[in-house]
Amino acid sequence: MDSTTAERRYRAFLAAAQLRYPWQFRCPGGPEDAEGVQVDVPPGWYGVLERLFEQVEAGMPMAERHGFRWRRLCARQGMLEVAFDGLRDPVSPRVVEARDRAAVTCEACGYPGARREVAGRFAVSCNHHFIERLLHGHPQGESAARHWWDTPQPGLGNRTPAAYMAAGPPSEVLIEQALRLAMPPVPTLEPAHRQRLQAVWPVLDEALGEGLRSLRVAEFNPRARRGGTLIALVAGSADASAQAAAVTRLARNGFSDLRLRLVAQSDLVAPAAADDPWACMLALEASVSLSRAEPDQAFLVR
C-alpha cells in the first residue's frame, strides 16, 4: 500500500469513527480548542479499534458519557497504547480485550499474527508481512532484496521466493531464508569490548541460575563501543519473568545499554517457528560467543 492510499484509508477510518461515535471523541463542556484525540494505529488494527468503539458505545450508560473521551490510541513496538478520560469501570475491560486482540493481529492486514522483532523494532505480523519486514531490513538495500526475491533458490526447489510465496502460505524454510538475508554483520570485539561484556556472566548467573548455558553478542557497533544485543541461551523455555529480572540486574550493574534476549537452545533447531525468530537467527548466524569470566562478585549490585 503506497503512502497516499494509506493516508486516505486512515482518514476514512477516523472520519467514520468520529461520525458514528462522536461523544467518544469530544469532551462535552470542554473548550473548543481542546487537544484532539491522538490516533496512530496501522491499518490491520482498524478492526480492533472499531470493535472497541462499538463495545464502549454499548456498555457506557448515557448518564455516564459526559466527560468521557479517548485521549490516545496508538501502536508502539507491537503493542496497543490506550488512554482516555472519564469513567473507567465500563471501559477498562474492553481496553484490555482490545490490547489482547491487537497482540495477535497483523498490523498490515488484520489476519492472525505474532509480535516479532526485526532489527530492534517490534510489530505484530503474519508470516507474509514478517517476510516483507525482513526484506525491507536487508543490509544491502532494496535492490539486493529484490534480486534475491526474483532469483531461483536451491533451498526452495530452484523456485524464486516470489513464486514460492505465490504457491501458498509462507513456509518455515522461506522465513528462515529471509531471516538469514536480513542478518547484520557478525560483530568484531576488541579486547576491551570483550572484557567488559564477559563481566555480564556473573550478573546473569545470579539472575538465571543453572539454566544459563551460553552467552552471545550481536548487533554490536564497535564505533559506539557500547550497545548491542546480548543473547542468553538457556535450558528449557525462555521465561518472561526471568528475563525481566535479568534486565533489572543488568541495568543495576551498568549494562543498561544491552538488549537482552533469552533463547531456548531447542529453538535453534527451527528458528522460524520460535517465539523470537530474530534472536534465534542472530545466535546462529550473526553473533560471537562470550567465554565465561569470573570477576570479583563482591562488586555486583543485587
Side-chain angles (χ1 to χ4, degrees), residues 135 138-151 153 181:
L135 294 182
H138 193 300
Q140 298 177 24
E142 182 181 350
S143 60
R146 189 182 303 113
H147 175 75
W148 174 81
W149 188 245
D150 294 327
T151 301
Q153 304 294 325
L181 198 72

Side-chain angles (χ1 to χ4, degrees), residues 151-161 163-164 171 173-174 177:
T151 301
Q153 304 294 325
L156 302 178
N158 287 320
R159 286 180 289 176
T160 68
Y164 197 84
S171 69
V173 173
L174 183 59
Q177 287 203 11

Side-chain angles (χ1 to χ4, degrees), residues 12-236:
F13 155 73
L14 189 56
Q18 291 172 329
L19 286 171
R20 188 172 182 182
Y21 312 109
W23 65 273
Q24 297 187 29
F25 290 85
R26 63 170 181 259
C27 186
E32 292 186 2
D33 60 350
E35 185 178 355
V37 180
Q38 182 183 0
V39 181
D40 184 12
V41 298
W45 286 4
Y46 290 170
V48 173
L49 290 193
E50 288 167 353
R51 184 171 175 181
L52 174 61
F53 300 153
E54 181 180 354
Q55 289 180 326
V56 172
E57 175 82 11
M60 178 74 78
M62 292 293 296
E64 303 292 349
R65 294 183 179 184
H66 179 81
F68 177 88
R69 186 186 68 153
W70 300 113
R71 291 175 50 212
R72 185 172 65 255
L73 300 154
C74 297
R76 292 286 183 271
Q77 289 280 34
M79 295 181 287
L80 177 62
E81 289 187 359
V82 179
F84 60 91
D85 296 321
L87 193 66
R88 309 198 71 80
D89 289 346
V91 180
S92 293
R94 307 287 81 80
V95 169
V96 171
E97 290 178 20
R99 286 173 175 157
D100 290 345
R101 285 195 298 273
V104 293
T105 302
C106 177
E107 298 182 20
C109 65
Y111 283 94
R115 183 175 182 264
R116 293 182 281 201
E117 178 185 5
V118 174
R121 183 183 182 277
F122 287 87
V124 183
S125 305
C126 63
N127 286 343
H128 176 90
H129 287 105
F130 182 48
I131 289 175
E132 283 196 359
R133 290 172 58 206
L134 290 169
L135 294 182
H136 289 157
H138 193 300
Q140 298 177 24
E142 182 181 350
S143 60
R146 189 182 303 113
H147 175 75
W148 174 81
W149 188 245
D150 294 327
T151 301
Q153 304 294 325
L156 302 178
N158 287 320
R159 286 180 289 176
T160 68
Y164 197 84
M165 176 84 86
S171 69
E172 291 181 9
V173 173
L174 183 59
I175 294 173
E176 287 188 14
Q177 287 203 11
L179 277 164
R180 285 191 174 90
L181 198 72
M183 286 293 102
V186 176
T188 300
L189 300 181
E190 297 176 2
H193 299 152
R194 188 176 290 275
Q195 184 177 13
R196 174 180 183 258
L197 292 170
Q198 283 177 327
V200 167
W201 264 105
V203 179
L204 292 186
D205 274 337
E206 287 283 330
L208 302 176
E210 295 181 356
L212 179 60
R213 290 292 182 264
S214 64
L215 290 177
R216 305 190 68 85
V217 65
E219 299 178 305
F220 183 82
N221 182 356
R223 290 175 295 181
R225 297 189 178 183
R226 297 173 69 85
T229 298
L230 185 67
I231 305 167
L233 298 179
V234 298

Side-chain angles (χ1 to χ4, degrees), residues 199-213 215 230 232-235 237-253 255 260 262 292 297 300-302:
V200 167
W201 264 105
V203 179
L204 292 186
D205 274 337
E206 287 283 330
L208 302 176
E210 295 181 356
L212 179 60
R213 290 292 182 264
L215 290 177
L230 185 67
L233 298 179
V234 298
S237 60
D239 181 73
S241 60
Q243 173 155 345
V247 168
T248 299
R249 296 189 67 81
L250 285 172
R252 289 176 178 173
N253 285 276
F255 296 103
L260 177 65
L262 300 189
R292 185 181 289 270
Q297 301 214 8
L300 295 182
V301 177
R302 287 172 168 74

